[in-house]
Amino acid sequence: DITNNTWSHYIGLTGEVNRIYTADGENKVQWSTSDTSDKGMTWYRSTFATPEQAQNDDSVILIDIGEDSKGVNRGHFYVNGRDMGHYNNVQIGGEMVQRYYYIPKDYLTDNGELNTLVFL
C-alpha cells in the first residue's frame, strides 16, 4: 500500500511548472552564479540589451550559442518568456550542427530595458 507515503509524480520539470522563464516565474526560484561542475540538467539565465541595430527594419537578430560543443549541448531556450524552441549545440565531423538561432525583433524589449535569456 503506497497511499501513505509522501512520494508524488507529475509530468514536466519544476522550472516548467513554475514557468521560471517568465518575468513572474523567475522570482519563484533562487538563482545562483554558474556552477561549472557536472550536475546534470539545470536552468541558466542571463540578460542582454537589445542591440541598437535591431531598430532597423531590415536587421536580423541571432542568438549565438557558441562555436564549440562544450557546456550546454541540447535543450530549450526562452527569450523574455517566449519558448524559442530546441537548440542542439553539437558538432558532427568538426562542424557545428547549428550555432545561430533567429529571434524575431518584436520579441525583444526596447527603450533600453534588458532582455532575459533562459536555457534549459
Side-chain angles (χ1 to χ4, degrees):
D1 183 13
I2 61 170
T3 58
N4 293 325
N5 72 18
T6 59
W7 186 86
S8 64
H9 176 77
Y10 57 89
I11 296 173
L13 302 170
T14 302
E16 291 174 324
V17 171
N18 290 324
R19 298 175 47 86
I20 67 170
Y21 47 85
T22 65
D24 291 334
E26 71 181 19
N27 296 321
K28 293 181 180 179
V29 296
Q30 181 177 349
W31 294 91
S32 61
T33 58
S34 177
D35 184 357
T36 58
S37 65
D38 183 19
K39 292 186 176 182
M41 189 178 347
T42 191
W43 295 83
Y44 295 95
R45 180 184 68 168
S46 184
T47 57
F48 65 97
T50 301
E52 285 186 30
Q53 32 312 18
Q55 306 306 322
N56 298 335
D57 289 335
D58 59 349
S59 65
V60 175
I61 305 301
L62 300 173
I63 295 289
D64 180 357
I65 63 170
E67 62 184 87
D68 59 32
S69 58
K70 296 177 183 171
V72 288
N73 291 327
R74 290 186 304 267
H76 267 76
F77 72 106
Y78 304 82
V79 174
N80 296 329
R82 296 176 187 251
D83 186 348
M84 300 307 301
H86 182 80
Y87 66 90
N88 197 359
N89 189 13
V90 297
Q91 291 184 1
I92 296 177
E95 298 293 324
M96 291 296 297
V97 172
Q98 185 171 0
R99 177 177 171 178
Y100 300 100
Y101 291 83
Y102 170 77
I103 306 298
K105 289 190 299 185
D106 57 341
Y107 286 13
L108 300 176
T109 62
D110 53 7
N111 300 325
E113 294 180 34
L114 291 177
N115 298 281
T116 301
L117 174 64
V118 177
F119 283 95
L120 167 64

